[in-house]
Amino acid sequence: MSRRSVIVGTGSALPPNRVTNAQLAERVDTTHEWIVERTGIEARHIAGDGETTATLATEAARKALDAAGVPADQVGLIVLATATPDQTFPASATKVQTALGIDDCIAFDVAAVCTGFLYALSVADNMVKGGMADYALVIGSETFSRILDWEDRATCVLFGDGAGAILLKAEEAQDRGILVTKLHADGRHNDLLYVDGGVSTTGTVGKLRMKGKEVFRHAVTNLADVLNEVLVASGHQAGEVDWVVPHQANKRILDATAKKLGLDPKRVVVTVDQHANTSAASVPLALDVAVRDGRIKRNDLIVLEAMGGGFTWGAAVVRF
Ligand code: UT7
């Protein structure tokens, strides 16, 4: 037995404004058919006035705490993964902390774009295992609609807003909780997926730019490699995995990755059709959907994976 981080609650939040492909096609030169055929996306949620990364994160975190039946004042650590913080500083995690009524805990943001949740999970897991907190909220929350170039049809149709959260609890366990996490980055590919502005360069927020085809090619290779790596490290075979909860960028990436590893496509949680790509929020959002609809159950072996700008990529094996 050793001290492990166990997921004891999940939650998520979506802005009420749901925008279909048909609605998008009224303002952008695109079609429902093109978007579905190339990405599998049918709709996305877009944040409205007053809805921010921190407000969505707070709603998701509250639901995760409620699901676990744990009062907010037990939380000793909040790690919030986002590339779209409310402000350059303070960290949006501290806004969530205040909104939850927590007077004192460790709270900070992690920036690894679409892989942000895997990075945040790994950091929080190691801090919990190291004894720095007994309960930790790990959140992915994004408002990518605010960094999209709504004139660029090649990118603006792909993303949506939302948040997902999990509550980790320190437990003495053998084969339960976060079993393995593996993280990678390769900054040589900065120019394939980036935002063309920032505090220290242009002094403006900037807009998202992507060379989609090249990102796609790297995504399938990197995700297959890191999935293989976490499975080997955990001592489990692909056939033992109950559920894969992938980053939701493109249905074709999910299919190609599953095929490459011989994973049963019926065991892959897919939410990209309804949420589009919500960056760091997509893995915990998909996880919460599959927990709440009863697919993912206690003791299931699940694999989380993501890849995004940087490039960054990573995966985790979890006994739920
Ligand atoms: O979360 C981070 C990771 N991100 C990703 O994993 C994204 C990876 N990339 C992708 O998912 C895909 O590459 C895209 C969905 C972005 C694009 O699919 P594609 O099959 O690679 O299409 P493409 O970019 O090669 O574009 C094909 C055609 C082009 O027209 P021509 O040059 O063939 O005449 C585009 O101009 O489709 C056109 N096109 C569109 N047409 C209608 C591009 N965007 C649109 C659009 N509607 N929204």
Side-chain angles (χ1 to χ4, degrees):
M1 300 278 265
S2 55
R3 186 175 161 102
R4 287 203 178 275
S5 324
V6 174
I7 300 176
V8 291
T10 66
S12 59
L14 288 163
N17 180 28
R18 180 176 181 271
V19 179
T20 64
N21 292 343
Q23 286 170 301
L24 260 193
E26 287 168 17
R27 54 189 282 200
V28 182
D29 179 18
T30 189
T31 60
H32 171 71
E33 289 69 27
W34 189 95
I35 301 173
V36 170
E37 190 197 314
R38 300 292 174 123
T39 70
I41 297 166
E42 293 176 17
R44 74 286 293 138
H45 292 251
I46 302 291
D49 288 349
E51 288 169 333
T52 69
T53 291
T55 66
L56 292 167
T58 302
E59 187 183 335
R62 229 178 235 132
K63 288 180 182 164
L65 288 166
D66 287 350
V70 172
D73 63 7
Q74 296 289 304
V75 172
L77 168 67
I78 302 173
V79 188
L80 170 53
T82 189
T84 49
D86 285 24
Q87 292 152 263
T88 302
F89 75 83
S92 296
T94 61
K95 295 188 140 192
V96 175
Q97 175 200 10
T98 307
L100 293 175
I102 304 169
D103 292 338
D104 185 17
C105 72
I106 306 165
F108 59 95
D109 293 356
V110 161
V113 207
C114 299
T115 320
F117 184 76
L118 270 301
Y119 270 72
L121 179 68
S122 183
V123 168
D125 173 41
N126 282 293
M127 290 177 74
V128 167
K129 284 196 293 210
M132 292 185 79
D134 291 335
Y135 284 98
L137 278 167
V138 187
I139 309 168
S141 184
E142 302 276 20
T143 43
F144 260 47
S145 63
R146 307 227 158 101
I147 53 164
L148 293 176
D149 175 355
W150 289 98
E151 305 289 311
D152 177 14
R153 67 175 184 173
T155 54
C156 73
V157 304
L158 305 174
F159 295 90
D161 301 332
I166 61 171
L167 182 70
L168 294 177
K169 180 186 179 204
E171 275 183 20
E172 288 297 318
Q174 195 138 31
D175 183 38
R176 187 152 183 245
I178 315 303
L179 303 180
V180 175
T181 58
K182 295 283 178 187
L183 303 174
H184 296 274
D186 184 350
R188 287 173 297 178
H189 302 294
N190 277 182
D191 60 336
L192 296 181
L193 177 51
Y194 62 101
V195 169
D196 64 5
V199 179
S200 182
T201 50
T202 60
T204 57
V205 173
K207 298 291 177 202
L208 182 148
R209 308 289 170 206
M210 176 165 72
K211 295 193 176 116
K213 249 191 197 346
E214 281 147 272
V215 176
F216 191 108
R217 196 165 44 79
H218 283 281
V220 176
T221 309
N222 290 345
L223 289 172
D225 286 352
V226 75
L227 280 169
N228 208 26
E229 187 186 1
V230 280
L231 284 172
V232 169
S234 71
H236 290 288
Q237 311 286 324
E240 296 171 59
V241 174
D242 293 302
W243 292 102
V244 182
V245 186
H247 171 50
Q248 310 281 325
N250 185 323
K251 177 75 166 53
R252 289 189 292 138
I253 296 178
L254 307 190
D255 293 342
T257 312
K259 195 170 167 196
K260 212 166 170 177
L261 279 161
L263 292 162
D264 181 352
K266 288 202 265 330
R267 295 272 145 199
V268 179
V269 177
V270 179
T271 53
V272 67
D273 54 335
Q274 294 306 314
H275 301 161
N277 182 345
T278 57
S279 184
S282 89
V283 169
L285 237 171
L287 177 67
D288 186 51
V289 167
V291 168
R292 283 174 194 264
D293 70 19
R295 276 178 288 175
I296 293 180
K297 297 185 188 65
R298 194 181 156 144
N299 281 324
D300 277 355
L301 189 68
I302 61 174
V303 175
L304 317 176
E305 48 101 319
M307 142 97 192
F311 292 141
T312 52
W313 64 103
V317 178
V318 179
R319 178 72 70 185
F320 194 71

